[in-house]
Amino acid sequence: MSRHADIPMAKPLEDEPTIKRSTFRLEADLIDRLHTFCRQQGLSREVLIEAMYEYMEAHPGALTQVVEQASQKHDHRQQLANRKRAEAMFSKFGRDA
């Protein structure tokens, strides 16, 4: 009999979720506030975002409010991107276009 026979083998956790890496861009001020909050709470950003999304799924009123705000932010960012693209084209092709 092996002297290591009584050492239990590590077994996979039954409830271990499949994790997928994702990167995304956030407003600089917001990411700073998010990092500060997470450090104070002892949480990772990812776990906080997961919990917030799950909460919103369970509370349709909260989800509606968040989607409304997100739509406004999206529209604003789209306007900024369009303006930036137009300025780049204007710069590239000049005033004679």
Side-chain angles (χ1 to χ4, degrees):
M1 179 174 218
S2 168
R3 64 182 183 173
H4 301 291
D6 59 346
I7 298 174
M9 298 293 290
K11 60 181 181 179
L13 298 174
E14 293 175 16
D15 295 336
E16 187 174 357
T18 301
I19 303 295
K20 184 174 182 180
R21 181 177 298 274
S22 175
T23 59
F24 49 93
R25 298 175 296 168
L26 299 174
E27 294 174 10
D29 179 55
L30 185 127
I31 195 71
D32 291 341
R33 293 185 342 251
L34 183 61
H35 284 166
T36 298
F37 179 79
C38 287
R39 273 193 305 274
Q40 291 170 345
Q41 300 300 316
L43 300 170
S44 70
R45 294 172 305 185
E46 295 82 2
V47 169
L48 179 66
I49 291 168
E50 287 175 3
M52 289 188 319
Y53 184 75
E54 288 172 345
Y55 177 86
M56 288 185 308
E57 281 185 320
H59 297 85
L63 181 59
T64 299
Q65 290 178 351
V66 170
V67 169
E68 287 173 7
Q69 177 137 5
S71 293
Q72 291 173 5
K73 281 182 168 266
H74 173 78
D75 292 345
H76 180 70
R77 286 188 185 175
Q78 192 64 48
Q79 289 173 356
L80 292 175
N82 290 343
R83 184 180 314 143
K84 204 174 194 181
R85 189 169 30 260
E87 289 171 356
M89 289 177 65
F90 185 75
S91 169
K92 182 176 180 179
F93 295 113
R95 297 177 190 262
D96 298 330

